[in-house]
Amino acid sequence: MFFQKVKVGPWEANYSPNHLQMSYQELLDLKSCLMRWRKHFPHSSILAENVLGVPSAINRIDNVADTIGVRGIYEVEERPAGLGLTSSTNPDFLPRLMPILKEQEVALDAPWSIYISDFRDGTSDDDVFAEHVGVRVFRGRVPSEVVRTRAWYVRAKRDEHLVAREFNHRSISSIENEGKKCYGVPLGLWRLIEKDFEPDFGQSFAVKPQAGSRFEQVLLWRPGHGAGFATKTKITNAIREGKVHYLQPFHPPEKAAFLRNEYDLIRRAYFAWSPAANEYVSVGGVWMATPTARVHGTSAAVSGILLTA
């Protein structure tokens, strides 16, 4: 298994030259999911909702697929991380994304800008992404006259209410609703469970909290498996204590011939809302693999290019 180190801001990422090609059916499946997600994600008075009619101007869908289309959807991220990594490693990404960002700026009558709160500073690759797309990054106190003349991609925790109050009306993605997972019930991705729920430990599944990101409070169960999976006791306690509220079928990650067998792989497909086309447009993405079923950005993760159909 060959990969090389690439610099992404202050971090080094493991990059593989092997790429995956999104099928046309996969593209249709993901776009259909997003159009339904648009209706069911919690609505708010952000700029993206008021002008573009969507809860977020840019999204990422973490999924697994095969030759006949999407096999399972893990999450729809409404304020996705990894834009710096993707723009650094996928040469197809920026040429597809940049024209849509320009469309958004025209429709919003404001330039794209990024705000990073103190709590989120140093935890993402947004500075790298901003450099690639030529947008300004702000930190700390921003004058109100600057806030109201820009369209903001805000990096802040959902409970940072002062940030939300200042930027919400000019935001192009959710702030206070970040990571909320209630949309998955009407989309059929998972179902609501109560504290007295008794899971069937003969089946594979995931349990999830009401809100969260980066695998926060997500527990996986698969009979007979260890690395990356939780114990029966941990899952039962999380349900009883009300730490998790949703049950999702477990979708096994993909395996790839160019990776060692212990590596599990998922696809991270990005979409941007096109005001001109009035739909979400695929701009490509990355695949990511780790030697554990909990596939997310860690020092052990390997990633490569996901080409759009």
Side-chain angles (χ1 to χ4, degrees):
M1 184 178 77
F2 171 77
F3 60 83
Q4 61 193 69
K5 298 284 187 180
V6 296
K7 194 76 171 174
V8 182
W11 301 286
E12 280 191 336
N14 301 316
Y15 170 72
S16 167
N18 298 97
H19 71 267
L20 294 179
Q21 175 69 57
M22 186 187 300
S23 71
Y24 185 63
Q25 186 59 54
E26 182 183 347
L27 173 62
L28 293 179
D29 292 342
L30 295 176
K31 287 180 72 170
S32 173
C33 173
L34 269 177
M35 294 305 285
R36 291 181 290 130
W37 170 87
R38 173 190 178 189
K39 298 177 181 178
H40 294 290
F41 188 79
H43 296 286
S44 59
S45 59
I46 63 173
L47 185 63
E49 288 266 20
N50 294 337
V51 178
L52 303 179
V54 293
S56 178
I58 188 166
N59 294 77
R60 192 188 78 212
I61 305 183
D62 292 353
N63 71 100
V64 284
D66 53 29
T67 55
I68 61 173
V70 172
R71 179 161 53 80
I73 290 175
Y74 298 115
E75 296 273 357
V76 179
E77 299 284 355
E78 83 287 345
R79 200 167 65 192
L83 292 169
L85 171 66
T86 308
S87 58
S88 297
T89 58
N90 187 339
D92 197 41
F93 184 68
L94 288 177
R96 290 180 178 273
L97 178 62
M98 287 295 294
I100 301 176
L101 296 189
K102 296 302 181 185
E103 282 183 29
Q104 292 178 1
E105 289 183 330
V106 171
L108 298 168
D109 193 27
W112 246 73
S113 303
I114 296 174
Y115 177 79
I116 303 175
S117 75
D118 291 341
F119 288 104
R120 281 289 175 87
D121 202 6
T123 66
S124 70
D125 55 2
D126 295 299
D127 286 289
V128 178
F129 174 65
E131 183 177 347
H132 284 307
V133 297
V135 303
R136 288 190 62 184
V137 177
F138 292 77
R139 291 172 168 83
R141 184 78 178 91
V142 180
S144 58
E145 61 270 19
V146 176
V147 172
R148 64 173 177 260
T149 58
R150 292 177 174 269
W152 296 91
Y153 192 70
V154 177
R155 281 283 181 225
K157 294 184 178 180
R158 60 183 170 275
D159 58 357
E160 289 187 69
H161 301 302
L162 290 177
V163 174
R165 187 158 60 242
E166 185 173 4
F167 289 95
N168 203 59
H169 67 295
R170 299 296 301 175
S171 178
I172 52 178
S173 64
S174 175
I175 301 176
E176 292 179 305
N177 290 330
E178 181 203 18
K180 288 190 175 179
K181 305 185 189 302
C182 53
Y183 68 87
V185 176
L187 266 61
L189 301 178
W190 44 77
R191 67 184 181 93
L192 187 66
I193 57 175
E194 304 294 339
K195 289 183 179 181
D196 60 354
F197 176 74
E198 297 286 347
D200 179 1
F201 286 108
Q203 303 292 321
S204 300
F205 59 82
V207 287
K208 299 184 170 190
Q210 286 183 321
S213 58
R214 303 182 182 187
F215 253 106
E216 178 185 2
Q217 290 292 338
V218 175
L219 302 175
L220 306 179
W221 170 259
R222 195 177 190 184
H225 288 69
F229 293 90
T231 63
K232 292 181 180 180
T233 300
K234 188 170 185 177
I235 290 172
T236 300
N237 288 342
I239 295 172
R240 297 289 177 270
E241 295 166 8
K243 294 179 179 178
V244 292
H245 296 264
Y246 300 108
L247 178 78
Q248 180 182 26
F250 175 70
H251 304 296
E254 299 177 41
K255 294 295 184 180
F258 53 79
L259 294 172
R260 290 199 300 266
N261 189 58
E262 69 267 24
Y263 274 76
D264 288 326
L265 179 151
I266 68 170
R267 302 171 184 231
R268 293 184 152 183
Y270 290 87
F271 289 79
W273 179 260
S274 167
N278 197 38
E279 66 174 0
Y280 287 102
V281 174
S282 173
V283 293
V286 296
W287 58 261
M288 181 169 286
T290 63
T292 166
R294 295 177 65 88
V295 183
H296 63 120
T298 68
S299 59
V302 180
S303 61
I305 296 170
L306 176 64
L307 296 172
T308 189

